[in-house]
Amino acid sequence: MNNTPTLDWTEDGRPVTARWRSEAGVTPPRRVEVVDDTVTADEAYQLACGGTALLYRGDYQNARQLMQAMARRVDRPPHRPRRKPAAKDAPAPSPADAFHKHRMAQAQRARILGMVLIPLDADYGIPLRRAPDVREACTEAWGAPDANASVASLREILGLIGAHEWRKKGVAIPALGASIHPWYGVFSPVRGEYLQLIDQAPLPATSLAFDVGTGTGVIAALLARRGVQQVIGTDRDARALACARENITRLGYDRAVKIVDADLFPEGKAPLIVCNPPWLPAKANAPIEHAIYDPDSQMLKGFLNGLAAHLSPGGEGWLVMSDLAEHLGLRTRETLLSWIHGAGLVVLARHDVRANHPKAADANDPLHAARRAEVTSLWRLGVRPA
C-alpha cells in the first residue's frame, strides 16, 4: 500500500492501518473514533462536524439509520435570532450567489455525512451484522480485490450499491427503444429531453459522425439507430470507454460504432459532430460531477474552437446545451454566441425543448426559479464562410 492513501487509528489499544478508499479523492480523516450501536445521532453529528470520523463496528442497518439521522440534522434550518425586517430596498441575493451558496451547502453536507466509515475485508466483504454483500459492486467500481483490508465512507458504499443496481437494470431510453446500462462513475443519461432533440433533428449526412465525450455511448447508439453508417465516439475516462463499448455491443451496434480514447476529437473530419458537454461552468466536487460541471467552460470552448477544423465541407456540429447557466448568472447568452463567432462558426438553426426533470417542478429546490425557466437546446453549427 506504499502508493495508496491509508487510514490510521487506534483500536483496543493498538495502532491499526487500512487502505483508504475515496472516489472523490477525499483526504483520510486525521481523527477516528471507533463507535457501535450505542452512539447517538447527536453525538455522531457533533463529532463529524468537529472533524472526527466514526468507524462503525455495530450493525450495518443501524449505521444507515445513524447517517439518515445525521442528514436530518444537517438539513435542519439553522436557528437565527429575530432581526428587524430588512429594508425594502435591500437587494435580493443574485441567482449566482444562490447557486454558490447551494454548492457550499452540498459540499458541507457531503463532508459531514462522509464521516461515517465502514470497514471492508480484503475480499470487499463488510464485517458487520446485517451487512449486504457488496463484493460484486465493489469489484465493478474498484477492480479485483487485493490482499488488504480497507475503509470507505458509508455514503460511498451506498453509492456503489446504487450504481450496481443501475448497471444491472439499466436506464430506459425511449428514443432508443432500449436501455443503457451506466457504470459506476459514468453519468447516467436520465435527462431524456436532449436525446429527444438528437433523435428529431435533421441529419446533414448518414455516412459518418463523431460523438465527442461519449460517456455511456447513448448518443453514439442513437445516431447508429438513426442510420448513420459509422459513428466514432470519444472519451478520456477509462470507465466511460469500457461502459460505452459494453453498451454498444449489448445494443448490437458494434459494427457501426467505434469507441476510441481521444481528447475531444478523433482524427479526421466528419459531416456531423455531436457534443453534449457539461452544462455548468463550476468546479466539480466529485469525479462523476465532471459530467455536469466544467470549470471555466473548458470542454465547451475546446469543442467550439476545434470544430471547424474537424467538419467536412457543408457539415454540421451539434452542440447540446441547457441554458441553466444563464438563468443562474454563471454565463450569458452573449458570451456563448461570442465564443461561437470567435471559433469561426455560424448558427444554422436551434431546436429547443423545456426541461422536464423532477427538480424543475420542485418548489422547495433552492434553484427552483432557474430550473423552472430552463430550456435545453440543440445548436446546429456550421463553418462561417470566409
Side-chain angles (χ1 to χ4, degrees):
M1 298 191 294
N2 292 336
N3 297 321
T4 58
T6 59
L7 181 71
D8 303 296
W9 72 95
T10 299
E11 188 168 1
D12 296 330
R14 61 183 179 88
V16 184
T17 296
R19 178 172 180 170
W20 170 249
R21 295 187 179 276
S22 171
E23 181 71 13
V26 174
T27 303
R30 292 185 178 182
R31 298 190 301 275
V32 178
E33 185 166 323
V34 179
V35 300
D36 56 22
D37 299 333
T38 62
V39 68
T40 68
D42 285 335
E43 292 170 342
Y45 179 65
Q46 291 173 4
L47 287 168
C49 289
T52 297
L54 299 93
L55 179 61
Y56 214 84
R57 290 296 190 188
D59 181 275
Y60 175 86
Q61 300 303 331
N62 288 346
R64 287 195 59 181
Q65 293 178 11
L66 174 69
M67 195 177 76
Q68 291 168 359
M70 292 171 62
R72 289 192 292 270
R73 285 157 174 76
V74 174
D75 298 336
R76 184 183 300 158
H79 175 72
R80 292 187 176 93
R82 297 185 64 179
R83 297 179 179 177
K84 295 180 180 179
K88 293 183 178 180
D89 58 349
S94 70
D97 289 339
F99 170 76
H100 292 302
K101 182 179 180 180
H102 175 60
R103 292 288 290 155
M104 289 177 62
Q106 285 183 317
Q108 177 72 350
R109 187 180 197 274
R111 185 191 71 80
I112 293 173
L113 299 185
M115 287 294 185
V116 180
L117 311 183
I118 297 295
L120 295 158
D121 291 334
D123 66 348
Y124 295 144
I126 298 178
L128 301 180
R129 297 188 307 276
R130 294 199 295 166
D133 186 348
V134 299
R135 290 174 293 182
E136 185 178 357
C138 290
T139 299
E140 287 176 350
W142 297 330
D146 52 31
N148 299 300
S150 56
V151 173
S153 74
L154 174 56
R155 196 166 182 266
E156 182 139 343
I157 296 297
L158 294 175
L160 287 171
I161 295 171
H164 175 63
E165 293 302 316
W166 277 115
R167 181 169 174 176
K168 285 196 304 182
K169 297 178 181 178
V171 179
I173 307 296
L176 268 180
S179 294
I180 285 290
H181 297 257
W183 286 25
Y184 177 71
V186 182
F187 194 72
S188 177
V190 293
R191 293 286 298 267
E193 70 267 18
Y194 75 91
L195 297 174
Q196 173 188 334
L197 291 172
I198 294 171
D199 187 45
Q200 296 175 353
L203 293 168
T206 57
S207 56
L208 173 65
F210 295 162
D211 172 24
V212 175
T214 194
T216 61
V218 63
I219 291 177
L222 185 55
L223 293 173
R225 185 178 188 274
R226 292 196 63 190
V228 178
Q229 299 171 23
Q230 183 181 7
V231 182
I232 300 177
T234 69
D235 215 297
R236 296 307 310 271
D237 182 78
R239 282 182 183 150
L241 291 166
C243 174
R245 289 173 182 138
E246 181 182 270
N247 278 310
I248 293 301
T249 299
R250 185 194 299 267
L251 293 167
Y253 294 128
D254 44 318
R255 290 189 177 182
V257 178
K258 182 180 181 181
I259 305 298
V260 301
D261 183 345
D263 187 4
L264 294 179
F265 302 93
E267 295 182 359
K269 298 185 177 185
L272 174 61
I273 304 177
V274 183
C275 183
N276 175 30
W279 293 346
L280 296 177
K283 180 181 178 181
N285 291 331
I288 196 171
E289 290 188 344
H290 289 297
I292 307 172
Y293 301 104
D294 181 18
D296 195 33
S297 302
Q298 294 176 5
M299 183 176 178
L300 170 59
K301 289 188 285 190
F303 171 72
L304 293 175
N305 291 331
L307 182 59
H310 289 87
L311 274 179
S312 302
E316 292 185 11
W318 288 3
L319 173 64
V320 183
M321 288 285 294
S322 156
D323 66 354
L324 182 60
E326 298 173 20
H327 296 296
L328 292 174
L330 305 177
R331 182 175 57 230
T332 66
R333 176 61 57 91
E334 290 72 23
T335 296
L336 175 60
L337 291 173
S338 71
W339 290 345
I340 292 173
H341 185 271
L345 304 170
V346 62
V347 179
L348 303 174
R350 196 184 76 229
H351 307 273
D352 299 332
V353 64
R354 301 288 293 185
N356 57 14
H357 57 90
K359 288 186 177 180
D362 182 5
N364 294 319
D365 186 284
L367 308 179
H368 173 64
R371 297 191 194 278
R372 183 180 56 188
E374 181 183 4
V375 171
T376 302
S377 301
L378 188 155
W379 297 75
R380 292 168 54 197
L381 308 175
V383 179
R384 191 172 68 245

